[in-house]
DNA sequence: TATTCAACTGAATCGAAGT
DNA sequence: GACTTCGATTCAGTTGAAT
């Protein structure tokens, strides 16, 4: 079976998953039923009625029934996930603990639990609990110590004002224009997620061209965000009404131009430059002095790109490590050369070579 | 067996719990082992070593072993909890899902999951995940639809600047002076919780004089916060060193004076004032007009404290509900009387009576 | 005295490619 | 699979000394 870049499968989640080949998707995002178990009607202080999630698809006979359904779809997701793929599942305290245990028991390796802090949650009208102001996402790799998963660390850091992205994300609910409406103008889906949430998930854990699978597609937020970000997607949805609205919605999405999809790349991915190449390029000469950050240790450059410091000699990394009696050292940031404006890390010289200025 | 207001039991958690009588504690706070499953040493970018949690008490052979331990102590906690008591358990993604499922399976009814957002978490040094910047607390009642549990809603609201307290709490780690040290000046416990966290938990979910049980007492943060807030406590701790430090620490705690323990009371707990009493007190007279919030509906007061609006008559609540065609109505906030400064809710008159000004 | 800076640290499932 | 090599990677808060 072959799937195009935009695939919506209308049908039962388990049956549709069974039709997907092993190790064929890069990222799974799942927003399963929460099994809410609500009581009677809830009225606001002004007597208006809260539009509760009472849909048939959220009804389960027992915790056992919910667990067995959860394990079934998670197991299939794990099968279709590539070895370097990851899965995200969102939930609330009603179901997320059961989901988390299933994730662990099936052999996934949890990477983070991420908190979606709602900036505008519904208050607790009765004053009986804390305002339920967040939902929880579980992010997991296919297995412990498996292949390296995709995590666009630097893109996330950039998106968070140059600070590491934390495990708590503050985002508003999906409201207003973004909320998909029926022909009658009513909200089409009771639990539509904000596209900003999916944007961050997809940006963090996939690359352009990757395949994103959403087994509970609803009105297609995952598809819309994936298309916008230049990813392919497969969405599975049982309710024909939701699927139709999703198709219509996604058709209107304009994907970002390829150039706009570039994100901050990891330094690990940049081409490797041996230190010797800095000497070959004439940016440093044999005999030149290199200094540690504070300047009290001095090493000399040799023609082959090795350093000498007293009795010690070896690569910039090894000599740096030995000089500090440390187990390891990044020589590029440890060693400095003398400039007009004081000491500067030799990493600046590497940047010149990479830029073709060497 | 009789326990004083400050009890520390040195010994195995399960054995000690077995010695406590049924339905004898009002609140349980539990900070169990997290079962971290860390890998090798972790070095910071400056090559210093992270002081990891590698204590023997955090080691479990398998998820099954952890689950069985978790269910055992949770079951005992449920037995010793009063019917109107609640339990709090704190954990991270390593264990909290397993704890949550055990809580649900044992018949507890989850009220909230609360996120402790750390303002100063340890970064992710390797750039491989999101900064793990939070922990999760589960708050649960003994059973669904059981006796009304203690929740000091108004005290929480007051503590949160007149806004409902949300399910995410931003608090710093336990550091500096607060961190308990050994005689050698080292940190005594690897995972000491901030007292501010316990302060909020105890203030939210117990009353002065209540008994708070902590089955994993450690260096006694729960005891210190409980004593400060005028609650009794029972702490269970296996490690003699921790217990000794806890005793010493708690001995130095000065409890708040009884008057300082008064918190914002619930309106529900205030003495009930029948509307007729407002008329009796002369704050309104028979025949006076009452208005709905926007003023377009007018009712008249009768001598017995009933209202008349056209064909309708009855209590302030019933007439208010019928006037709006609503199932219910709080007449105290719905009906307004005319004052120099415009319309004001009749709840202001009730406040006057309560204050003895009627 | 006010301000600056270096050093230290906290429940962490913490690398990847080549030989 | 074990081992080696290269080299990438940190934020908020506190403490205490130096300026």
């Amino acid at each position: 079976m072959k799937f195009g870049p935009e695939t919506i499968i209308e049908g039962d989640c388990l049956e549709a998953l069974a039709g997907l080949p092993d190790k064929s998707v890069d990222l799974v995002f799942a927003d399963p039923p929460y099994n809410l178990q609500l009581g009677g009607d809830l009225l606001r202080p002004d007597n208006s009625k809260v539009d509760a999630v009472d849909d048939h698809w959220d009804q389960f006979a027992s915790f056992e029934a919910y667990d067995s359904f959860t394990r079934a779809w998670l197991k299939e997701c794990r099968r279709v996930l590539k070895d370097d793929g990851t899965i995200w599942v969102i939930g609330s305290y009603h179901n997320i603990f059961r989901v988390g245990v299933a994730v662990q028991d099936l052999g996934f390796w949890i990477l983070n639990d991420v908190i979606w802090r709602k900036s505008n949650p519904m208050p607790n009208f009765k004053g009986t609990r804390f305002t339920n102001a967040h939902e929880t996402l579980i992010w997991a790799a296919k297995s412990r110590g498996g292949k390296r998963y995709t995590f666009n660390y630097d893109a996330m850091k950039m998106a968070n004002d140059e600070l590491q992205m934390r495990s708590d994300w503050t985002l508003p609910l999906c409201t207003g224009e973004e909320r998909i409406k029926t022909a009658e103008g009513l909200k089409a889906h009771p639990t539509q997620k904000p596209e900003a949430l999916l944007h961050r998930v997809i940006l963090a854990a996939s690359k352009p061209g990757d395949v994103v699978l959403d087994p509970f597609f609803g009105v297609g937020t995952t598809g819309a965000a994936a298309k916008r970000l230049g990813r392919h997607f497969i969405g599975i949805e049982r309710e024909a009404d939701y699927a139709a609205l999703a198709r219509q919605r996604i058709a209107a999405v304009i994907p970002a131009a390829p150039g706009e999809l570039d994100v901050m790349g990891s330094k690990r991915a940049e081409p490797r430059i041996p230190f010797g190449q800095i000497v070959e390029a004439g940016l440093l000469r044999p005999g030149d002095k290199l200094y540690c950050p504070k300047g009290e240790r001095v090493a000399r450059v040799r023609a082959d790109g090795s350093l000498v410091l007293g009795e010690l000699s070896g690569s910039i990394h090894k000599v740096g490590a030995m000089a500090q009696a440390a187990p390891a050292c990044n020589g590029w940031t440890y060693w400095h050369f003398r400039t007009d404006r004081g000491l500067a890390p030799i990493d600046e010289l590497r940047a010149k070579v990479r830029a073709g200025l060497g």
Side-chain angles (χ1 to χ4, degrees), chain A:
Chain A
M1 199 183 303
K2 182 67 191 152
F3 298 101
E6 300 182 18
T7 303
I8 299 181
I9 305 173
E10 223 176 286
D12 175 75
C13 152
L14 292 175
E15 287 173 21
L17 283 170
L20 300 183
D22 292 0
K23 306 188 182 187
S24 57
V25 314
D26 299 282
L27 179 65
V28 176
F29 179 87
D31 182 10
Y34 285 13
N35 188 25
L36 287 185
Q37 307 182 55
L38 301 176
D41 284 350
L42 175 62
L43 298 178
R44 299 170 208 265
D46 68 358
N47 276 309
S48 66
K49 188 164 162 255
V50 173
D51 188 13
V53 179
D54 55 1
D55 305 72
H56 66 91
W57 48 253
D58 198 45
Q59 310 299 325
F60 290 82
S62 62
F63 279 139
E64 289 70 32
Y66 187 80
D67 290 346
S68 123
F69 171 69
T70 301
R71 277 161 205 265
W73 70 258
L74 274 172
K75 193 173 174 189
E76 280 298 282
C77 284
R78 188 155 185 269
R79 180 183 62 77
V80 303
L81 198 58
K82 293 183 188 171
D83 287 342
D84 59 352
T86 60
I87 186 171
W88 291 76
V89 190
I90 185 167
S92 65
Y93 66 83
H94 309 85
N95 72 320
I96 199 65
F97 305 123
R98 314 200 80 88
V99 168
V101 168
V103 163
Q104 289 181 314
D105 287 352
L106 288 171
F108 289 103
W109 188 242
I110 298 181
L111 299 169
N112 277 112
D113 57 338
V114 169
I115 300 306
W116 169 27
R117 294 183 67 217
K118 304 177 183 180
S119 54
N120 50 351
M122 183 158 65
N124 179 291
F125 296 119
K126 302 297 186 200
T128 53
R129 305 176 180 201
F130 300 98
T131 307
N132 191 6
H134 73 275
E135 296 192 20
T136 300
L137 298 102
I138 295 173
W139 181 38
K142 191 160 173 177
S143 62
R144 180 176 194 174
K147 281 182 71 176
R148 178 73 192 150
Y149 51 89
T150 298
F151 177 49
N152 297 313
Y153 173 80
D154 293 280
M156 286 294 103
K157 187 170 177 178
M158 191 55 54
N160 192 41
D161 231 6
E162 304 271 20
L163 292 179
Q164 281 193 342
M165 186 69 81
R166 300 168 35 118
S167 58
D168 58 296
W169 303 353
T170 304
L171 296 168
L173 295 168
C174 176
T175 57
E177 282 301 294
E178 190 189 336
R179 193 91 197 205
I180 305 295
K181 303 289 195 305
T182 62
E184 297 77 36
L186 303 170
K187 83 178 162 190
H189 194 285
T191 68
Q192 186 184 339
K193 297 293 176 290
E195 207 175 308
L197 185 71
L198 272 294
H199 178 100
R200 191 173 294 179
V201 165
I202 292 171
L203 195 64
S206 71
K207 297 183 284 292
D210 276 2
V211 176
V212 182
L213 166 67
D214 184 340
F216 306 96
F217 203 56
V219 288
T221 307
T222 301
K227 181 175 179 185
R228 224 182 279 285
L229 289 169
R231 274 70 168 173
H232 300 176
F233 67 84
I234 301 171
I236 303 171
E237 177 52 47
R238 195 173 51 175
E239 310 286 328
D241 293 350
Y242 294 161
L245 288 164
R247 271 192 208 94
Q248 186 181 325
R249 169 191 193 180
I250 293 164
V253 169
I254 297 161
E260 296 166 355
L261 292 177
D262 293 341
V263 295
M264 292 304 298
S266 167
K267 293 209 175 118
R268 285 194 188 94
E270 291 189 66
R272 197 175 152 267
I273 309 284
F275 179 66
Q277 205 170 316
I278 307 291
V279 185
E280 288 169 5
L283 291 169
L284 288 173
R285 293 176 184 287
D288 277 358
K289 289 177 181 168
L290 294 185
Y291 306 84
C292 72
K294 289 184 195 160
E296 79 271 23
R297 292 200 188 90
V298 185
R300 277 182 188 281
V301 176
R302 295 197 292 199
D304 62 352
S306 61
L307 295 192
V308 182
L309 191 162
E311 303 291 304
L312 307 172
S313 69
S315 73
I316 53 172
H317 312 297
K318 192 169 244 175
V319 175
M322 289 188 297
Q324 301 173 82
C329 168
N330 179 348
W332 292 106
T333 55
Y334 182 73
W335 293 111
H336 293 61
F337 65 104
R338 194 176 289 283
T339 73
D340 305 341
R341 48 198 167 76
L343 295 179
I346 58 176
D347 207 21
E348 291 187 5
L349 302 176
R350 180 170 62 163
K352 277 192 187 172
V353 170
R354 280 194 173 132
L357 305 175

